[in-house]
Amino acid sequence: MAEAPKETLAGKQAVLEGLPDHPAVKALLAWNADAFTDALFDRGELTLTVTPEKICEAVTAVKNAGYNAFEDMTAVDWLPSEPRFQLSYHILSHQYKERIRLKTWLNSGDPAIESITSVWSGANYYEREVFDLFGIRFEGHPNLRRILMPDDWVGHPLRKDYPVEGYR
Amino acid sequence: MVDVGTPILSAPPAEGARDQHMVLNMGPQHPSTHGVLRLVLEIDGEIVVRLYPEIGYLHTGIEKTCEAKFYQQVVPLTDRVDYLGPMANNLCYCLAVEKLLQLEVPERAVWIRVLLTELTRLNSHLIWLGTHAMDIGALTVFLYTFREREDILRIFEAVAGQRMMTSYFRIGGLSMEPPLDLFDRIQSFIKTFPEKIDEYSNLLTGNPIFRNRLMGIGHLSPEDAIALAVTGPTMRASGIDFDLRRDMPYSSYEKFQFKVPVSNRCDCWGRYEVRLLEMRESIGIIQQALDGMPGGPIKADAPKIVLPDREKMKTQMEALIHHFKIVTEGFNVPAGEVYQGIESGHGQMGYYVVSDGTAKPYRVHMRYPGFATLQALETMCQGRMLADVVAVIGSIDIVLGEIDR
């Protein structure tokens, strides 16, 4: 059974001190280092974890720091761990030619998070996709409907408790 | 006479005016959207007021399927996603898994990958050009581009034994050494190909119908392009100078000299210009790859991950065991997550692979450019004539396989 990755405070300190010249780290330290609960630098990619309530603020801060292009967002289901859903946002900077990953965790009982469509309208389809396939609600989304599955579909296919062959 | 340079409606109409609008289902129009893309248009006379793309008719559940396969078994699945650019899909997935494994790929394999990926870009752009011109009514170009595409498909067939779903790349290299005459065939293809591009250009660039149908149509400002996550040639036609091959090089692209075409026109004509120039740049990259092709092996030295050669399997017990283990049990990949982006023919493609340390990927997410570009369709069509929607769909170059996955 898969284990969800554990967050470590020591890891965050090490990453932030180890990468003083990374443009994202510099911008974050200037903004609010406490908003980020964890940081990881692995295989050349920087991952920053925020609490779900702070996602919109964090995304805005990152955008203001020069990470101008929203690239991708998706979820990972870590059943049966709790918190269960990991949301990953990939954001690219045309200026620094760098990409960072923002990460947040949601509990399994009625997972919901603030929509970031107010920051990047391009997140619209991606949030609908996550809503459709994982059943995570995005509050403030302009048109939160299923996108790939039919409107009357039962269940959320990318959840780990949904069988690969489907229920039928 | 309506000035085509400015939108006819600057804002959506008031609620009361909606009674006079007609809702129109615009069905399969573009050849690559045969029956799987439905556009619901709200029109006022002939003017598009709102536009909702309805997608999902081609949803294959491929991301879910990946979770039930070994890492190496996902490679053939990726072919099916963007079925006009199989090598680019393979490359992106293999690079992501190699990054997870921290596996070094031999230089010859990397260069052949670049060579074939650029051929794929030509293939993808040829289909775009042919079908786009056909949408506008120029059927001849369609026949010409498919003639050249046939040459590329024959090269793919010689390399992989398959014309469309090639599955030629492997985690850690390539499936086999390409045939001896392959580089000569590619050389003779790119020798004549620039003339063919001139031929298309002669037919289209000066054609008044083609010009009037594209110029000033489908306006997308640089700000909108970034906000709507539009990438690739569509973004570069909106004046944003960014290309992953040059700016965040992968797979030894830093060793190649090429220009990134950018247009400030922000319309369908700009996208036409950018893609046509990109084809010429790709020829340059292919030529450099052919000239500097290094020798050596085409598979990484990792017997537990890369399948052994057929010959070795017949003579060495060790190789036979490894073959058996890889095929039946797969190989474990260290836990972690990576995101690998590449520049495909349509834009930025990305694979987000999460591993939990077992032989099957825990999660594979595919970011394909068409999915994001489709969001921009309404912005590009709003306030324009109904007939312009046809031109805009052609200009953003969508493949429904990559939108629905």
Side-chain angles (χ1 to χ4, degrees), chain B residues 9 11-24 41-50:
Chain B
L9 278 181
E15 280 296 314
R18 294 185 108 191
D19 304 345
Q20 295 147 28
H21 294 163
M22 185 165 86
V23 173
L24 183 78
L41 300 169
E42 188 183 323
I43 50 174
D44 178 10
E46 271 193 75
I47 293 162
V48 177
V49 180
R50 283 202 182 80

Side-chain angles (χ1 to χ4, degrees), chain B residues 302-367:
Chain B
K304 293 199 188 307
I305 291 164
V306 182
L307 283 179
D309 290 332
R310 209 76 202 165
E311 279 311 306
K312 265 191 192 162
M313 234 180 81
K314 289 172 187 164
T315 52
Q316 293 176 16
M317 193 62 202
E318 197 79 346
L320 186 65
I321 293 169
H322 282 140
H323 183 278
F324 182 74
K325 293 274 268 186
I326 292 169
V327 171
T328 54
E329 292 170 15
F331 48 84
N332 288 357
V333 171
E337 51 195 327
V338 291
Y339 183 91
Q340 175 67 47
I342 70 160
E343 193 78 30
S344 83
H346 303 143
Q348 280 169 28
M349 178 193 290
Y351 272 73
Y352 174 54
V353 183
V354 181
S355 167
D356 62 346
T358 60
K360 290 176 180 172
Y362 192 73
R363 170 109 172 85
V364 178
H365 181 255
M366 304 164 178
R367 185 252 195 249

